Amino acid sequence: MSIKKITAFVLILACMSCEDYLEILPEGQENTENYFNSQSDYEDALVGVYDLLSTTYLHNLLGEIASDNSLCGGESPTDVLDWQQIDDMTHTPDNGALRSVFQFMYAGISRANYIVEFQDKTDFEGKDQILAENLFLRSYYYFELVKFFGDVPLYTESRISIEGSQSIDRTPKAEVYAQLEADLQTAIDNLPWQQGQSGRATKGAALALLGKIYLYQDKFEEAAITLDQVINSGQYQLVEDFGTIFLNSNENNIESVFEIQYFGGEGGGFDCFQCVEGNIAVGFMGPRFTGGNFSPFTSGFSFNPPTEELYNAYATNDERRDATILNMDEFVAERPDVTFNLGNTIDYTGYYNKKYIPYAEANSGDVNLTHSNNYRAIRYSDVLLMAAEAFNRGGINDIKARNYVNLVRVRAGLDEIQTSGANLTQDIYSERRLELAGEGHRFFDQVRTGQTNSIPNFSPKNVLFPIPRIEIELAGNRWEQNAGY
């Protein structure tokens, strides 16, 4: 079974309407009630659940654009207006990007629930692990929804239908989190530490996600205990050279706790982003090169340019700065034949996201949509910093918290810190920003820790994004909109 390439059966599942995530079973499709008769049926269905991970490219972009780390960029101030609005904090319930997040995550959940619905139909050796991976994936999708929208409808037993959506209310996020905690505990008990195939969920990935969910609820003791299990497992370590982590040649490395797999050999188009097997965000984030030798990179659409303030937040000897941010002035100074288009001059900063920059490769279809750069969804350094935060903010053990932070700092070529208490808390926040910049975590870190003053145009309502208006209407107008929208 391949996680990168979907099977013919999964292609059938993928044909759900791009307009309405609730249309899971189009008329005329073969009877899905007669499926799940063999191990391979369950495995193929699980590939379909993994497949929706590719759509989280949006989360990488929006988690940075909405924060103080970057601007929207693009060709002009109206290029991909949905993203521009999120950058300006003027987004409304009619924002198309937010509807895509809502649709894609629920599409993944519905596929996961398809397996849950028939989990008892056929027995075979190894089924517990397949069901555990499925619960991990469903938890991942629900966690993303809660991050964006807060209270969301909780479907757990079967595929999502229009009728079902019209009979269920938004579930308080505390109850959603409780379900995810229970599901992940079950998954942890049935997942191995290592998988024979890259990209599949492991015990470490489930523990890390559970620890993150605890941290988002300020359950510091539970988060510390859970994340320490990942750290003490001996399964992960920091890559010695930070500059190599995001190279295509160094995917699924020893620091990768959970990595979303992308494939550059199967093309797609702008008419169906969920049909693309490549990392769409990468092509959107590259500079608009027009000439000269800009190898090993290729041209992109100049979205998500890091701010000068972020660039200057790094110490000059911090090895992460030049591995995280491409300084175009320096790049062109070394290669005077290189030319490029500034794009949206209002948002042009002179910097680009180097972690997810497009590399020249033998990709297929539209070269801006099919890059094979994997998304490092959970890295070991993230686990160390989350654990540090839990031990510090929970008043549990500042020495341990500081040691975890210093592991990250020393790898970056920096001196160790000696702070404690509230000063250590701020140092942890700073390290999370510098270590994880460009990876889509910043906005949600700022919201959950109340560090939103530096986000331009941010207002109290922006702690959550609005529920898409059309989804409320499809649910019979029974869902209340988030405050302020």
Side-chain angles (χ1 to χ4, degrees), residues 462-478:
N462 298 132
V463 296
L464 293 174
F465 291 103
I467 301 292
R469 185 190 312 277
I470 193 168
E471 304 301 340
I472 293 177
E473 293 173 354
L474 287 167
N477 292 304
R478 68 177 297 128

Side-chain angles (χ1 to χ4, degrees), residues 257-293:
V257 179
F258 185 61
E259 189 162 320
I260 295 174
Q261 312 293 297
Y262 285 98
F263 182 58
E266 185 169 334
F270 282 84
D271 57 339
C272 185
F273 276 2
Q274 65 264 49
C275 304
V276 178
E277 292 299 300
N279 189 338
I280 295 174
V282 170
F284 274 94
M285 288 192 280
R288 292 174 178 261
F289 290 116
T290 55
N293 176 21

